[in-house]
Amino acid sequence: MTNTSIAPDTRTRSRKIPVADRDLLWRLSAFRCSYPNCQKELYRKGEAGDRHANIGEMAHIFAHSKNGPRPNPDGFSEDTNKYENLILLCREHHTIVDVQTNKYTVKQLQHMKLDHERWVADRLATEDFNSADLESIIRWLSNNSELPPGDFLLIPPRHKISKNGFSAGIQKHLNVGFPRTHEVKTYVMHRASLEPDFEARLLNAMLTQYHDYKKTSISSNHLFVDMVQFACGNSRDHVKWLAGIVLVVYFFERCEIFEK
């Protein structure tokens, strides 16, 4: 199994923003502009054979160069191109924040990004997903197991969260998923009554993908997003993303992933 990035090609690609950081930024921003009260969708699905259109721009919070808006007093570093220093904006608001730098300071943009990611997580918490979508994902996972059943020595979810040092944004996504895992459990228990090894196949499919991603993932935050992308089939659909979160959180509780 391989990791297929959902990160779009944009004009910032030449600045060598790592794919993992682009994926994390776009996913936690829900493909929407982070500017207050904008939330413009920055992804347009192609129809009739057309390509998908990504119209968002990844703005640097500290400038990419010493001559750019909001230069870093400590100078340029590779961290400038990491998720922590990026904010997703539409073209209009990217221009505004880079021109009006007295108003849009580093601190202001950091707060803007955090507020937007909280808005995304709060919206997910009130969203509902189609049970048929959830069931189709579970069926697909159950047919892609590559490991034999095993014994799992689990640590409590709260300890996993602490040990992995998840960002506030990721913790919000985890908190969205925990109350919904009973929906996965109900379906899995029903299928297990017909197929006794059904849950083991699911667990093993998730473990296979987890260990594959873990070889190249640079942080627990990136790994979580990779796993949710896998669980939702790399869909950009908001509802399917929610279903993917719930599935990953279910596995987070049930098997050896994020067991640092």
Side-chain angles (χ1 to χ4, degrees), residues 167-186:
S167 69
I170 296 297
Q171 289 190 49
K172 289 278 284 186
H173 279 64
L174 286 165
N175 290 336
V176 166
F178 283 125
R180 307 289 293 272
T181 55
H182 67 278
E183 298 177 50
V184 179
K185 183 177 180 180
T186 298

Side-chain angles (χ1 to χ4, degrees), residues 153-171:
L153 299 175
L154 301 179
I155 63 175
R158 67 181 183 278
H159 290 166
K160 286 188 180 183
I161 292 172
S162 176
K163 286 177 177 291
N164 281 274
F166 290 118
S167 69
I170 296 297
Q171 289 190 49

Side-chain angles (χ1 to χ4, degrees), residues 15-236:
R15 297 187 177 188
K16 298 181 180 179
I17 295 172
V19 170
D21 290 280
R22 285 186 281 150
D23 281 353
L24 188 59
L25 179 68
W26 280 76
R27 281 297 189 183
L28 295 188
S29 302
F31 298 88
R32 291 175 178 268
C33 177
S34 300
Y35 192 89
N37 301 316
C38 179
Q39 289 106 29
K40 180 180 180 179
E41 291 189 53
L42 303 176
Y43 166 77
R44 299 288 187 274
K45 186 175 181 179
E47 297 181 0
D50 287 338
R51 295 171 60 189
H52 302 322
N54 299 289
I55 58 175
E57 298 184 355
M58 293 176 285
H60 287 82
I61 296 174
F62 278 113
H64 181 261
S65 67
K66 64 180 181 179
N67 297 320
R70 297 173 301 276
N72 191 334
D74 296 328
F76 175 81
S77 75
E78 288 302 318
D79 289 341
T80 301
N81 287 328
K82 298 296 181 64
Y83 158 79
E84 289 77 11
N85 191 51
L86 300 170
I87 181 171
L88 185 64
L89 298 167
C90 64
R91 181 166 297 182
E92 175 185 358
H93 288 124
H94 187 180
T95 300
I96 290 172
V97 303
D98 279 359
V99 170
Q100 300 177 352
T101 54
N102 290 329
K103 179 177 180 180
Y104 297 105
T105 62
V106 166
K107 188 173 182 179
Q108 176 68 16
L109 292 185
Q110 289 171 337
H111 281 302
M112 185 186 298
K113 176 181 177 178
L114 181 59
D115 287 345
H116 178 70
E117 290 186 355
R118 286 171 174 164
W119 175 84
V120 170
D122 289 342
R123 184 167 175 260
L124 284 170
T126 60
E127 190 72 77
D128 196 13
F129 53 78
N130 190 315
S131 59
D133 287 335
L134 181 65
E135 291 174 9
S136 67
I137 293 172
I138 294 175
R139 284 197 300 271
W140 181 81
L141 284 173
S142 71
N143 291 325
N144 281 275
S145 175
E146 297 180 6
L147 295 176
D151 296 324
F152 307 114
L153 299 175
L154 301 179
I155 63 175
R158 67 181 183 278
H159 290 166
K160 286 188 180 183
I161 292 172
S162 176
K163 286 177 177 291
N164 281 274
F166 290 118
S167 69
I170 296 297
Q171 289 190 49
K172 289 278 284 186
H173 279 64
L174 286 165
N175 290 336
V176 166
F178 283 125
R180 307 289 293 272
T181 55
H182 67 278
E183 298 177 50
V184 179
K185 183 177 180 180
T186 298
Y187 178 78
V188 169
M189 289 178 64
H190 169 70
R191 286 295 300 272
S193 67
L194 304 173
E195 305 170 55
D197 65 343
F198 182 77
E199 184 177 31
R201 295 206 315 273
L202 286 179
L203 296 177
N204 293 328
M206 186 56 70
L207 280 168
T208 298
Q209 197 64 53
Y210 173 77
H211 289 300
D212 187 28
Y213 285 158
K214 192 175 179 181
K215 295 174 185 176
T216 57
S217 186
I218 59 178
S219 75
S220 296
N221 292 328
H222 293 83
L223 185 55
F224 178 83
V225 168
D226 283 344
M227 293 297 290
V228 178
Q229 284 182 184
F230 166 69
C232 74
N234 286 313
S235 173
R236 292 171 171 85

